[in-house]
Amino acid sequence: MPFPLHLLCELLSELERNHTRSFSIQKTQDFDVRSLVGWFDKHDTAIPRLGSEAVAFLSCLFPERRPDRVFGLSKIQLERIVQQAQCLGSSRMKELQIWQTRNGPDFATCVERVMAITDCEPRMGPKVTLQELDDVLDRIAAFSPFSSADLREETERKYRQPCSSSDDLLISLFRRLNSFEAKWLVRMLSKTTIRPLSQKDWRWADFIRFVESPPFSEFNPSCRKYPRGT
């Protein structure tokens, strides 16, 4: 069964909340361990471990480990895409652009806040899965000459009728996402998740049992382990 994007976003949001609380470093790490172990335990049977779905899962969890995939999208470009996808008027655009002010929240948080107003409204299409999102991210990256030649060639073979632009792909995607999913999509595009998942010295083995996973080594030979719930 395809793994839903919103479940991964729930984990990322919980880890982010841990780091916004006024706790000591040790206590924050303890909360992170509890969050991660609980999440992997809860979704253990649903987490993909083989093939393209496993690669999609890891690519979305660790976007910074996909050097073959370059998006090259500025915040101003994404601003315009969100505006078009959500039909934002002048007042909501001002809210979206608060990230440009001094000491303002980051752009992804502004996207979440602006889109939260319409979370109660039905979305255009089914829930987005990680496999579907990963395919879209590949297609967006294929527009960049800085992405790997292999990725661009594979994407061209896979999609015989290429989309006219990355904007079209993202506009369609943003129209199907809830606010907190949109926030994490923005961070995936900028390859910034959160500290527990991106810092090099983070020890998954402290709280997660590892199993071998060949798919991840396809795009990151230095990482041949795949986290699994304990």
Side-chain angles (χ1 to χ4, degrees), residues 15 40 84 188 205 226:
L15 291 171
F40 274 94
Q84 190 169 345
M188 289 175 195
Y226 177 52

Side-chain angles (χ1 to χ4, degrees), residues 70-81:
V70 178
F71 303 116
L73 296 167
S74 69
K75 293 175 183 177
I76 299 300
Q77 286 177 282
L78 290 172
E79 217 179 59
R80 185 183 66 249
I81 289 167

Side-chain angles (χ1 to χ4, degrees), residues 3-20:
F3 197 83
L5 170 63
H6 73 87
L7 293 183
L8 179 61
C9 292
E10 287 175 3
L11 170 65
L12 296 174
S13 294
E14 184 173 345
L15 291 171
E16 182 180 46
R17 284 193 295 273
N18 292 345
H19 284 255
T20 57

Side-chain angles (χ1 to χ4, degrees), residues 85-142:
Q86 297 296 305
C87 301
L88 301 183
S90 57
S91 60
R92 291 178 69 195
M93 269 302 291
K94 287 180 181 178
E95 292 179 35
L96 179 61
Q97 293 171 334
I98 290 176
W99 67 273
Q100 299 183 42
T101 62
R102 186 176 183 180
N103 298 323
D106 71 304
F107 176 64
T109 299
C110 290
V111 171
E112 179 183 33
R113 291 178 180 177
V114 167
M115 289 182 58
I117 299 172
T118 60
D119 271 349
C120 59
E121 299 177 4
R123 288 302 187 252
M124 298 176 64
K127 291 281 187 180
V128 176
T129 67
L130 292 188
Q131 179 71 73
E132 182 182 6
L133 174 59
D134 193 57
D135 288 343
V136 171
L137 293 179
D138 276 349
R139 296 177 72 184
I140 293 170

